[in-house]
Amino acid sequence: MKKNTLLALLAATGLGLGLSSCQEKDSVTVKNEVSEATISQIKALGFTATGAVKTDDGVVVEGDILLTNEMLASQPEQNLLRVGQDEQYRTTNLVSRLPRVLTVSVSSQFPNGYVQAADEAIRRYNAQGLRITMRRITSGQADLPITYSADLGPGVLGRSGGFPSNGNPAPGFQLAPSVIGSRTIANVATIMAHEMGHCLGFRHTDYFNRAYSCGGAASNEGSSGVGAILIPGTPSGADPNSWMLACIGSTGDRPFTANDRTALNYVY
């Protein structure tokens, strides 16, 4: 997720500054180290290769989503695709073997307040009465560990460990306090809930045009393959407060909207 900068300042100065909150604006080109074969795999999974960054574990796309080497080698199902406008979207990979309790842990490296933010994010999910519930633990290996990162890239607040695989959620996510800075518990909880959403298989609500929440020029994260599946019952109009919008400002708070709750209850 990436953070939002002041749009008025951008307009006045003409600077191409990246917005962040979960990810940054897709303004960079594909890195040279990403091979043509990998680019084809990224597109086959329904994501754009623009701005893709190679890592030891796979490739980071859309600024805050890790496509693991396992996911890149997988064969997506060829059904249920609908490329729309502003609806909520999920991927082909979801958590299975429901009902299920997912454990969450918070690294001790984080500043004060991150545990409270995690508890608030967990509370928001558990209040929905889903077949997935979450519980924070203080010892042992968690299903969704929240780990510390000194640097995820310019403007990147957090990065998920990918999407579900083999019926299990992605293995947690990283946050960068140096970029997040001083924010309210509610704002950090929103960032955490967003990354949890990726771990459960949700894509950005505005994947088709990141400019909706990030500003700048229109940018489509990718709609090929079956990486963006419409969730029935979500609207065709824009949803300005969805928890899965790509970018967020430093003071924003996005508890689940009615449309978000529809999406969560349909999938889980």
Side-chain angles (χ1 to χ4, degrees), residues 81-229:
L81 172 66
R82 171 177 171 183
V83 178
Q85 295 299 312
D86 302 328
E87 305 94 334
Q88 274 81 352
Y89 293 88
R90 67 173 178 86
T91 68
T92 54
N93 296 352
L94 297 175
V95 177
S96 60
R97 298 184 294 279
L98 307 177
R100 190 167 173 182
V101 177
L102 300 179
T103 54
V104 179
S105 63
V106 182
S107 170
S108 60
Q109 293 180 276
F110 284 112
N112 293 334
Y114 276 65
V115 169
Q116 295 96 311
D119 287 343
E120 171 59 16
I122 290 170
R123 184 199 66 77
R124 293 181 183 187
Y125 277 98
N126 289 347
Q128 306 311 311
L130 308 175
R131 290 174 294 163
I132 283 179
T133 54
M134 299 185 190
R135 176 171 58 87
R136 184 171 61 83
I137 60 174
T138 56
S139 64
Q141 180 59 46
D143 299 303
L144 298 174
I146 305 174
T147 55
Y148 176 95
S149 176
D151 181 19
L152 292 171
V156 181
L157 306 178
R159 175 178 296 162
S160 77
F163 289 115
S165 177
N166 298 320
N168 296 314
F173 55 92
Q174 297 175 288
L175 296 179
S178 62
V179 179
I180 293 172
S182 178
R183 298 180 181 226
T184 65
I185 296 297
N187 181 271
V188 178
T190 295
I191 296 169
M192 290 182 175
H194 177 105
E195 299 302 341
M196 289 173 177
H198 284 318
C199 293
L200 298 179
F202 290 93
R203 284 199 64 175
H204 291 143
T205 305
D206 55 345
Y207 90 94
F208 67 97
N209 183 5
R210 290 170 58 85
Y212 183 74
S213 66
C214 300
S219 177
N220 191 312
E221 293 175 350
S223 57
S224 61
V226 291
I229 300 174

Side-chain angles (χ1 to χ4, degrees), residues 25 33 109:
K25 189 171 58 175
E33 63 267 26
Q109 293 180 276

